[in-house]
Amino acid sequence: MIYVKKKRKNSLSFNTDFSLHTDFDTASIPSHVAIIMDGNGRWAKKRMLNRVQGHRKGAETVRTIVECCREIGISILTLYAFSTENWQRPKMEVAALMSLLAKFLKSEQKNMLDNNIRLNAIGQIERLPEHVRQALHEAMTLTKNNEGMLFNLALSYGGRAEIVRMVRDVAIKAKEGRIDPDSITYEVVSDHLYTKGMPDPDLLVRTSGEMRISNFLLCQIAYTEIFVTDTLWPDFSKEEFLRILQNYQHRERRFGSTNN
Ligand code: IPE
Ligand code: IPE
Ligand code: MG
């Protein structure tokens, strides 16, 4: 059983062998973790399966990692589930991803309620098919008063599209005289991003080894610690995640300043 600062009501049982993680410091866990869940297709290919089977297995990992984050007391978990560029994939794959997403949102409702998790979505929600928007709306409404953890799903999300949207919104307000262009600060910018009111991610994890950001949270990751693992998302585990958190805890974050 993982040791946590405060035992939470309704926490899930946790079967990780914690002897491996004796120097895990529960006092300095990151507040906000963001993950680029990559490698479902490669996982399937290695097993001669189709890509959709990889995505299905990937959804199981999502469940595992959400539970893990909730249990160790991470305040915000942001998962990159579908990018603005992912619309360019074959229609069949996009449709399968959307069905899996709707299914996941329905099957996880109880879990999120039991574990005091609030669901939120960031991205161009209006582009999602009606049945997915419906499932999202339902899960978000149902969990809106939960305060244990914020689970942010990035759906049809792109960092550049987010910047364009922010610039448009700010420009309209400036034109209407509601914002003085001379008083635009980064705070104003940040208040017009999907992540309004949220702290920036402390840690960004990418699975499957690619050393790139792929249009994720371009503004918000200015000083985020990055960790890339070769593990494919469907193979990603609680144990590896905890090792990454340990690694994070040994880093020195300087934010452009000196360390003393
Ligand atoms: C991540 O896995 C899931 C999504 C981007 C939706 P991929 O589907 O990108 O898997 P690879 O990168 O082809 O292995
Ligand atoms: C990033 O993965 C997007 C998501 C995980 C949703 P991709 O597989 O789309 O990124 P690239 O194409 O390797 O950059
Ligand atoms: Mg990929």
Side-chain angles (χ1 to χ4, degrees), residues 37-42 51 86 89 206 208 210 212:
M37 311 182 287
D38 197 18
N40 295 350
R42 277 162 280 178
R51 296 179 58 84
N86 289 151
R89 293 190 179 195
R206 181 170 186 142
S208 303
E210 309 295 355
R212 57 179 172 253

Side-chain angles (χ1 to χ4, degrees), residues 23-126:
D23 68 339
F24 182 75
D25 180 4
T26 51
S28 64
I29 50 165
S31 296
H32 185 173
V33 174
I35 305 182
I36 302 175
M37 311 182 287
D38 197 18
N40 295 350
R42 277 162 280 178
W43 182 91
K45 195 170 178 197
K46 263 172 60 179
R47 287 164 180 76
M48 315 272 273
L49 300 170
N50 65 48
R51 296 179 58 84
V52 176
Q53 287 167 295
H55 296 314
R56 200 167 293 136
K57 183 76 179 153
E60 288 175 29
T61 309
V62 173
R63 188 171 302 125
T64 306
I65 297 305
V66 169
E67 283 175 14
C68 177
C69 287
R70 171 67 183 99
E71 181 136 13
I72 62 182
I74 284 165
S75 305
I76 308 178
L77 172 67
T78 301
L79 297 184
Y80 203 7
F82 193 85
S83 73
T84 44
E85 288 71 30
N86 289 151
W87 290 113
Q88 295 158 31
R89 293 190 179 195
K91 269 202 170 73
M92 265 265 299
E93 183 173 345
V94 171
L97 278 165
M98 293 299 145
S99 303
L100 267 174
L101 179 59
K103 210 171 120 194
F104 176 86
L105 291 168
K106 283 176 196 148
S107 68
E108 291 313 293
Q109 278 187 7
K110 187 177 178 318
N111 216 0
M112 289 191 280
L113 277 178
D114 288 350
N115 290 286
N116 202 15
I117 294 169
R118 176 158 74 91
L119 180 75
N120 181 53
I122 59 171
Q124 306 163 328
I125 304 312
E126 65 285 355

